[in-house]
Structures are given as C-alpha cells and as structure tokens.
Amino acid sequence: MLQRPAGALSSTPEQLARRARRAWLLFAAVALLIVTAALYGAGLYGRTAEVETLAAQGRTDANLKVALLRAVLESPRALPLLLSADQQVRDALTQKNAAAIDVLNRKLEGLVSGTKASVLYVIGTDGLAIASSNWREPISFVGNDYRFRDYFSGAMQAGTAEYFALGNVSKRPGLYISRRVGDAAAPLGVVVVKMEFDQLEADWREANRPAYVSDENGVVLITSVPSWRFMTTAPLAAPKQAAIRDSQQFGDAPLVPLPITHPRALSPDVSIVHAVTPGGSDAEYLSLSTTVPSTPWRLDYLVPVEAPIAAAVREMRLLALGVVVPLLGLAAYLLWRRQSAQMQIAAEQAARTELERRVVERTEDLSRARDRLQAEITGHRSTEAKLQIVQQDLVQANRLAILGQVAAGVAHEINQPVATIRAYADNARTFLDRKQTGPAEENLGAIAALTERIGSITEELKAFARKGRTAAEPVELRGVIEGAVMLLRSRFAGRLDALAIDLPPPSLKVMGNRVRLEQVLINLFQNALEALDGRDDAHVQVSVEETADGVTVGVSDNGPGIPPAILKSLFTPFNTSKEKGLGLGLVISKDIVADYGGRIEVSSDDSGTRFTIHLQAAA
C-alpha cells in the first residue's frame, strides 16, 4: 500500500462525514431538547399568567356579585324592623278582630307592591299566620301554622332571625327575615318578610359563568344554574342530613353533592376544579370563593379556563418558537458552514492521495484480476464436473431405490417360472420313459419359453441397475412403457388393473435412452398408484399422442390431488408429501427428460392429477 504523505490531513473525508453525522445527531438532540424545554416552559408560564389574570378578573366579578347580593338583602331587612313597631300590626295581634286584620292585610299588600319583597305576613304567638300580603291569592299564608319554622322560633327567642327555605305553600325558595313584635317577656307575634332571588339569578345567568351561594352547611341556596339549587358543596353527614329533612327546610330535595370534582387549590380562596354543567361536558374552571358579609353564606364563582388557557399557552409557545427557531437555524447554518469548509479541504487532499495510490495499484489490480479469472475458470470447470457426477449419482440412487422396491416382487416372478420348469422337466422325463416323444417335445418347448421369460426379467433388472449416462438414440416408446409396467407388476400385484394404457404402435420412437425413460415412467406410475392406495374407484390413464412438436405421454389419476403448498415447489429437491419419501424422484425425472430435449408439465386439483411428458420424436 502507498504510504500517506506527511502533509496529509489527519482526518479523511469519511471520518469527517462520520463526525458530521454525529455532530448533526447531537445538534438535533440538543435542538429537540431546547425546543421541548422552551415549549414546556412557555406553556407553563402562559398557563400560570393566564390563571393569575383570570383570578384577578374573577375576584373583581365575585366582589361585584357579593355587593349586588348585599344590596338586594338590605332593602327587605328594614321592613320587619319597621313593621314590628307599627301600631296596626300590634292592634291586629292584640285585638285579633276582623276589622284590624283586614286593615293589616291591605297594608301588607300595599307594602309588597312597593318593595322587592315576595311576601309579608304576620304570625301570632301560637304560630298561625293572621295576616299576609297574599291574602287574596289561592296560596294565601293566612291560617297556616309556622311553629315548625326556625325563623318563627328564632325570632320569638332572639328577637330576629333569617332563614332560607323552600316555601311549604308556594314551593318557591327564598330568604325569610323575621322579627319579634313586643319584648321577650310579653311577645305579641312575629313579622316575616320573604325575599326571592329570581331576578338576581337571572342577572347572574347572563354572564354564562356559574355562580352559587351556599349556607353554613354547604347547601346551595342561590345559583345561576337552577339544577344546582339545594345540592351540597360536600357530602353531608347522615345526622345533619336527617335534621335538615326533618325541618322540611328544603322539602324533599336529594341534597346530593355538586358535580364539581378534582379540586386543586392555588390559594386559600382560589382553586382549579372540574365541573359538569347542564347540557355540557366535563370542563375545567377556576373557582373563586368569598364570604357574603352580614350572612353566614359563601359565594363561589366559576370561571371557564380551558379556552383562555389554551389560547394563552398557544400564544406563548408561538412566541417561544419565534425566538428559539431562528437561533437554532443560525446555529445550524454556522455548523454546516464549518463542516463544509473542512470537507472541501479534506476532499481535495484525499483526491490527490487517491490519484497517486491508483496509479501504483492499477497494475497490481490487473494482475490480480487475471489470476482470479483463471482461478474462477478452473473452479467453474471443476464445479461443473462435480455437478455432473452428483447428478448421475442422484439418478442412480433413485434407480436403485426403485430397484430395491421391485426386487421382492421380481423374485416372486422368477420363482413361478422356475417351479413350472421343474414340473415340465418331470413330465418330460415321464413321457420319455413312456416313449411319448410328442408330449415330451411340447414340455421342452415350454421350458425354453419360460427360461426366455426369466432371462427378460433379469435383463430388465440388470439394464435398469446399470449406472451411466448415455447419449440420446431412437427408442421404441411401446417397449419403454411395457418395461416400466413389468418392473412394477410384482410390487403392485393386484393393483395394476387400475392402469389403463393406450399403447402406441411399435413404429413410434422417441429420442432418449430406454432405461432412463423407464425410470421416469416408473416414478410417475408409482406416484399415481400410491396416491390411489385404498380407493375402490382407482384409475390411472396412460395415453400417447403424436403432436407437431414431438410425442406427449400423459399419466392421469383420479386421486385427491397434490396440496397447493407441495405443488408450488413440486420439482424442488426434498419436497415431498410422503412420510418416507426423499423428494428426489420428480426432480430426477425432470432432469432426465430435459437431457433429451423434453419437458414435464403437471396440473392438479381435487379431482385428480395429470403429468404430461413432452419428448422429441425420432426421425
């Protein structure tokens, strides 16, 4: 090999290319890591910033809702205070005559029309309502017993009470504000105002953001989602739930928890929750909670966050990509430019070195190529000779295998003529002793015929077992078929009746060798008879036909056919469906026919198989 000049580069173009690939893989990994980190960081920042913005906006909205709720509450709270000191109220409670009660009914009716109260009514110390603003209506409260209501007992004991409940007559929820008339020592009764929040809830619904007010037990009292009313912010304990039901505060409401799950606190009054609204699916909300001053209530306000957060995250990620991608592109350009310069220098020096090396190695390459060519020619000749020997050995092995199969039957064929010869010889001796020469000559003629038959059988065996590859010569096709049948007769004794052979005329000759062609027919006859073993309707048709291209010999059977998996590679060595078969018979048959310029075709289905041998006709 040519030595590298001292001034050559320490790195070849191939080495630089490998380094470049590693550098680009490392760059891609780092770039992917940077982009992933940038996207993750931008998404996290965008989500956090948007949540903070939504929380600030939500607090403002929640405070406005609380202020509006307080404004709605303050107006009706003054009515019980004023009416508890009203003389007409006291007269009706003390006198309890029809005239005083009628005056009070009309007064309460007039006060309701000028305020936002739903109902005003006055209850005696016995718990029965004596006057009401709805005294004209079918659902008048007059005469109803309210001793079971906490707002009545609370006002009688403490002087004032507030109680949110479902009306037992109107079946409408509202806040009951009550005040005792008279002092604790000598109470006269209780003044009650009922406040409903229909308009407030309608105003909240316009914002399309769920809001609800819950009491100290967590029961939802006022809500922009009507189906959430009288649900609970958390599961109620069994004793507490039983007490609420006994008080009939919320009627027969199920008091089940709100469809709000997976709370994740961000601060004491802010958390991320999942809620299912009527007609909607599970969505993520920002929940803000605040107390309602002057009440034991708490207002919760839900702000949808999925769409705003997604928009904020998308915006921040696009911004991050807008910064990171150009920087990565610039870094990639600088890396490519540096590698290109190195590759160009290395390629120029490598080209010069390669040119010098090729000049030196060219002659050596030509000499080696000549030597290799000669060695290949010699090897091909040797391989061809070995292949021919192997092919002849395979043909001979197949022939000997067939010979072994028919040997036992041939022995039987020979034993019969030998026994007959013995009988004829004994008879001839007897006839000679009797001086009967005529019958003795007939017996001797029969003995001669039988010896010829034995000779033909042994000659067939000797010829079939003979090894060698002979040149093609004209062969009588009829004799080939008859010889194949003779060799198979003993092995398939009693089954050769299935063979139906249309023998050709003795004048029909083909190019080949009798023994080798007999080997082909024996393979085909044997395969057909074995395929039909055990069938009552076994039938093998052998036909001969002269064509324009030569002579065809057809062997058809009515067997089950060849499986498709075997048929695809039928002429491949060692491909067989027989348990003890080698898969060489058809391969050798095909090679024998090909040696004499012919070919074998096969067709098969579930109704039978047909082999067609094409041979060259002798001139």
Side-chain angles (χ1 to χ4, degrees), residues 25-190:
L25 288 174
L26 180 61
F27 178 82
V30 172
L32 180 61
L33 182 62
I34 291 174
V35 169
T36 303
L39 291 177
Y40 176 78
L44 188 61
Y45 176 78
R47 180 182 179 86
T48 303
E50 186 62 21
V51 167
E52 292 178 354
T53 302
L54 291 174
Q57 295 175 352
R59 286 192 185 94
T60 302
D61 293 344
N63 291 334
L64 289 175
K65 291 183 184 300
V66 169
L68 180 60
L69 177 59
R70 290 189 62 191
V72 171
L73 289 173
E74 291 305 322
S75 176
R77 277 177 173 172
L79 285 175
L81 177 62
L82 296 174
L83 289 175
S84 65
D86 186 82
Q87 189 59 43
Q88 291 178 338
V89 172
R90 289 177 177 269
D91 290 344
L93 288 171
T94 56
Q95 298 173 10
K96 294 185 179 180
N97 56 47
I101 291 175
D102 183 64
V103 171
L104 183 57
N105 279 333
R106 295 179 185 277
K107 182 174 184 174
L108 295 177
E109 184 179 27
L111 287 174
V112 165
S113 63
T115 65
K116 294 182 179 180
S118 175
V119 182
L120 277 169
Y121 54 103
V122 177
I123 305 173
T125 55
D126 56 358
L128 296 178
I130 65 170
S132 174
S133 62
N134 61 0
W135 63 282
R136 298 178 186 270
E137 300 175 9
I139 58 171
S140 171
F141 290 178
V142 176
N144 290 330
D145 188 353
Y146 292 102
R147 282 178 295 176
F148 70 95
R149 288 295 196 183
D150 287 353
Y151 60 79
F152 172 75
S153 59
M156 290 292 288
Q157 295 174 6
T160 183
E162 292 186 0
Y163 186 69
F164 196 100
L166 183 70
N168 63 322
V169 175
S170 64
K171 303 302 180 182
R172 294 177 59 82
L175 176 64
Y176 296 85
I177 304 172
S178 60
R179 192 167 187 89
R180 184 181 62 217
V181 180
D183 54 21
L188 300 176
V190 175

Side-chain angles (χ1 to χ4, degrees), residues 250-264:
F250 305 116
D252 57 356
L255 300 176
V256 296
L258 288 167
I260 299 175
T261 57
H262 308 298
R264 179 163 53 88

Side-chain angles (χ1 to χ4, degrees), residues 477-487 489 503 514 518:
L477 186 56
R478 184 187 184 105
V480 172
I481 297 174
E482 290 175 340
V485 173
M486 176 180 289
L487 290 173
R489 179 175 292 114
L503 289 173
R514 173 170 176 163
E518 280 181 2

